[in-house]
Amino acid sequence: MNLSDPQDLAGLLEAFLLAAGRPLSLERMAELFEEPERPEPALLRQALDVLRQSCAGRAFDLVRIHRLDGI
């Protein structure tokens, strides 16, 4: 698996999100990787966009949640 490829990374993020069973912040997703392999936030956003597009026509959607309480 190539963690610098948004397509490969999207599948891994999907597994993380499904296993978590709750929303995860971008920062929390990054923390799931060891420091030397940790993707940059821009790459995580690209992978999440790939994942969002792949959800079209599936039984679930990927949505971005904005927290107002700063947590």
Side-chain angles (χ1 to χ4, degrees), residues 49-62:
D49 192 46
V50 168
L51 178 56
R52 183 188 53 76
Q53 292 173 22
S54 78
C55 289
R58 292 169 68 185
F60 57 91
D61 291 320
L62 179 68

Side-chain angles (χ1 to χ4, degrees), residues 3-70:
L3 294 181
S4 63
D5 178 12
Q7 195 76 30
D8 284 351
L9 189 55
L12 191 54
L13 294 178
E14 180 176 4
F16 287 163
L17 290 166
L18 289 172
R22 63 182 179 85
L24 296 176
S25 68
L26 198 63
E27 294 80 16
R28 179 63 185 124
M29 282 186 250
E31 290 172 354
L32 295 170
F33 296 90
E34 296 290 328
E35 185 67 38
E37 298 176 339
R38 189 168 293 162
E40 295 292 324
L43 181 58
L44 286 173
R45 285 186 199 94
Q46 287 177 333
L48 288 169
D49 192 46
V50 168
L51 178 56
R52 183 188 53 76
Q53 292 173 22
S54 78
C55 289
R58 292 169 68 185
F60 57 91
D61 291 320
L62 179 68
V63 296
R64 184 175 185 174
I65 298 172
H66 297 275
R67 303 269 320 245
L68 299 177
D69 58 8

